[in-house]
Amino acid sequence: MSHGLAQAQEDEILKMQEVIVSSSRSAVPVSQMGDAISILDAAEIELQQLATLDEALERIPGVAITRSGGVGQNTQVRMRGFTTKHVLVLIDGVKVNNPSEADNQFGIDHLFLDNVERVEVLRGPQSGVYGADAVAGVINVITKRPNGPLEVRGSAMVGDNSTYELTAGAQQGTDTYGVSGSLSYYDTAGISLSSRPPGNVERDGYENFTAQLRGEVRPTTNTELSAWVRYTDAMNEIDANYLPANNPLGLPAFLFQDSEGQNESQQLFGAVKGVWKTFDGKLDHTAQVSIVDLQDVYTAPGTEQESEGRTVEGIYYATWRPTERVTFVGGAEYRDEQAVFEQPVGAGYALIDDGISNTAAFAEVNFEVLKGLFLSGAARYDDNEKFGGEFTHRLTAAYNLPDQMDLPGIDTKLRASYGEGAEAPGLRQLLGSSATYEGNPDLKPESSWMMDIGIDQRLENGLAGWSITYFDGVADDGIFSIFNPLTGKSSPQNIQSPVDMSGVELDLRVSPASWIDLRGAYTYMDVSQRSVGTQLFGRPKHEASAAVTVRPMSKLALTVDGYWRDEFFSDYPSSYVMPGYSLYSVSAVWNITERVSLAGKIHNITDKFYEEKLGDSTYGRTAQIRLSVRY
């Protein structure tokens, strides 16, 4: 047996044994999971030279990304037809959604991947585990933990549009302690936010400084204490003027045009966590306290808006494993959200200074009913200060077919899940935020359900694996902003017209030899409001991506990746049909020595003009090169 084939088999075995930390409060092996999940690890991030979280998510089935301009500009994530507010974002297990946003969403605009170990994307309702913000699914960004002897690393990148990035970090870990820290600074002159003339002349730059520090200590074999903090200071320039109503192209008058303006953001995330193992590891206790503080200052000609969202959360849960086949989890969570939003300069003065607290109790059970058949259930009760009690739940099943029932040379897992979700209105939806946007204190939570069934297969020789998932669901009582032409004001309303969501997700990995790897993803998504009957905006029906990596020599890896999107409706106006497009990029990583590497990437090699939202720019052909050193 060749070394490449043996390595491929070993990698596949490890993947099946790999544990997923976002599907449950207790880590679950892939073989026992009934959920649809995709993982993008540090190795793939490096091979494709992915810089930001939105670039990584574009490779995941069931996820559609809409960017408003270049790096650092507003980015929307839509999962299985749900919007950004329905997607829970975690950083190392800490919820980072923003209560000062109009609908509590967390913008991923400033999240870079230089210190990320992997990204887990769990699709389908997870409110039974995590609460309201996990209606569509969970994105868990897991940063690198300290491990092994002292290592110092650094990198420098330069690229088109006067772009550069500097990173530095150090880490050391033993059986009793670990410590790590990292710094990064990114700066670019950028591109214009406006893609349509007479705009698109003035560049809108972006800069980002991020620092992270982590410490771990294990005073005994049964005890671990850890703490981490992450701070980001970012600034992106914007365009805030509007296209003239009588423009020669006949485009909508509210498309952005060149102007002065910027958005300054400061993000602080931190957590302290303790784990105590008792009864020979059969009963674990976990306690965590976290804080998230997100501040933004938006300035444009004649306008200034300031906001701050702060969340403090405390959680305790116990994990009991009475036998190897059964796991019980039970715990409680307290969450306090505070939001400040004010507009001291502009069309109208707005002031929000309020908060919402939420207390929750949850329970999970995971057990092996028969050999290879795993069932799980999660239930959660949330007592919201403003909306009262809400019960949500999730059920999953996974069956690993025995050899006598499976196809020769193939391992097969059948899986299914069902979940219900509830999304509470945000403070700005309840209270309003300007003279033209009135709040609605009578709003009620949105409700939804979704089910999926799927099959995961892999060749026993480790050369290939694939996953197929069908999903179907309904969202009801959706909160939409309704404009009243008589008053000239908008107000959020619960709409009694359900949104139907169904589709198919494909994920493929092939490694026929040690020198070549292929990964592909495809999504068919049908999402429509019953009263209208047309596909909702920002959600292409067909979307696909693929990446091929070849290693002509042991120290050199070349990757070609492509992304394809069918036509879709723009965010604004939502009746405008955007043409589909395809993009291709090529990247290379050369490990000059064990400690020095050189990497480069050319993005959009055909210099394709495209838009993800009408009037907002995207990058043409760009190139970058990076030198990395570790010692």
Side-chain angles (χ1 to χ4, degrees), residues 79-372:
M79 189 180 296
R80 287 187 171 178
F82 285 100
T83 64
T84 300
K85 69 176 181 177
H86 301 111
V87 180
L88 176 64
V89 180
L90 306 173
I91 298 180
D92 290 329
V94 172
K95 301 177 184 177
V96 296
N97 291 44
N98 188 353
S100 72
E101 284 289 333
D103 43 21
N104 281 28
Q105 68 186 34
F106 173 73
I108 64 171
D109 326 327
H110 310 306
L111 222 165
F112 282 68
L113 300 176
D114 56 282
N115 192 43
V116 169
E117 181 63 33
R118 65 180 184 174
V119 178
E120 296 180 352
V121 181
L122 188 65
R123 304 185 297 278
Q126 307 298 323
S127 291
V129 179
Y130 291 105
D133 295 326
V135 170
V138 175
I139 299 170
N140 192 12
V141 179
I142 302 171
T143 61
K144 295 178 180 179
R145 296 185 61 178
N147 182 41
L150 176 64
E151 180 182 85
V152 180
R153 66 184 186 278
S155 72
M157 179 272 286
V158 295
D160 288 331
N161 302 309
S162 300
T163 301
Y164 69 92
E165 183 183 39
L166 301 172
T167 71
Q171 68 92 39
Q172 183 174 19
T174 68
D175 291 339
T176 57
Y177 77 93
V179 62
S180 65
S182 65
L183 300 170
S184 68
Y185 180 75
Y186 180 96
D187 186 272
T188 181
I191 57 176
S192 173
L193 175 61
S194 308
S195 64
R196 300 286 180 149
N200 70 31
V201 177
E202 175 208 37
R203 290 178 179 267
D204 296 306
Y206 175 70
E207 59 181 324
N208 179 302
F209 170 77
T210 297
Q212 181 162 315
L213 182 66
R214 174 185 292 275
E216 304 172 350
V217 60
R218 289 168 282 276
T220 70
T221 56
N222 295 319
T223 308
E224 179 177 82
L225 300 173
S226 61
W228 65 268
V229 61
R230 181 185 179 98
Y231 172 76
T232 295
D233 188 354
M235 186 281 295
N236 56 290
E237 296 176 337
I238 61 168
D239 287 334
N241 283 343
Y242 294 101
L243 192 67
N246 59 348
N247 67 86
L249 297 177
L251 294 170
F254 50 76
L255 298 187
F256 287 127
Q257 291 294 285
D258 288 340
S259 77
E260 297 295 322
Q262 64 182 31
N263 191 72
E264 300 174 80
S265 301
Q266 291 184 325
Q267 302 179 341
L268 178 67
F269 314 111
V272 177
K273 181 178 180 179
V275 179
W276 180 34
K277 300 180 182 293
T278 60
F279 296 101
D280 295 325
K282 291 186 176 182
L283 179 62
D284 297 349
H285 306 268
T286 302
Q288 178 175 284
V289 177
S290 63
I291 183 170
V292 175
D293 189 87
L294 307 170
Q295 301 182 41
D296 288 277
V297 178
Y298 170 96
T299 56
T303 303
E304 180 180 335
Q305 296 175 352
E306 300 176 4
S307 66
E308 179 179 8
R310 174 174 291 187
T311 301
V312 177
E313 183 178 73
I315 184 171
Y316 164 80
Y317 58 93
T319 304
W320 180 38
R321 302 178 182 85
T323 71
E324 293 183 355
R325 301 177 64 170
V326 181
T327 301
F328 294 100
V329 179
E333 175 186 295
Y334 176 78
R335 184 174 175 88
D336 181 73
E337 298 180 340
Q338 300 292 324
V340 175
F341 179 86
E342 56 183 337
Q343 185 171 298
V345 180
Y349 181 84
L351 175 62
I352 294 174
D353 189 353
D354 204 347
I356 298 178
S357 64
N358 188 88
T359 304
F362 55 86
E364 301 176 43
V365 59
N366 301 274
F367 59 100
E368 187 177 13
V369 182
L370 301 170
K371 183 174 177 59

Side-chain angles (χ1 to χ4, degrees), residues 127 131-133 135 390-392 420-424 445-448:
S127 291
D133 295 326
V135 170
E390 192 75 49
F391 176 79
T392 54
E420 295 184 355
E423 176 76 19
E446 301 173 327
S447 61
S448 63

Side-chain angles (χ1 to χ4, degrees), residues 358-428:
N358 188 88
T359 304
F362 55 86
E364 301 176 43
V365 59
N366 301 274
F367 59 100
E368 187 177 13
V369 182
L370 301 170
K371 183 174 177 59
L373 175 61
F374 300 90
L375 302 179
S376 74
R380 179 179 170 113
Y381 181 80
D382 286 270
D383 184 12
N384 187 286
E385 178 185 6
K386 294 187 183 294
F387 300 102
E390 192 75 49
F391 176 79
T392 54
H393 66 277
R394 186 198 67 176
L395 302 169
T396 75
Y399 183 41
N400 298 274
L401 295 183
D403 290 341
Q404 60 269 27
M405 294 179 59
D406 212 343
L407 296 172
I410 295 179
D411 288 334
T412 300
K413 182 181 76 172
L414 307 177
R415 53 179 169 78
S417 73
Y418 174 86
E420 295 184 355
E423 176 76 19
L427 284 168
R428 283 167 63 179

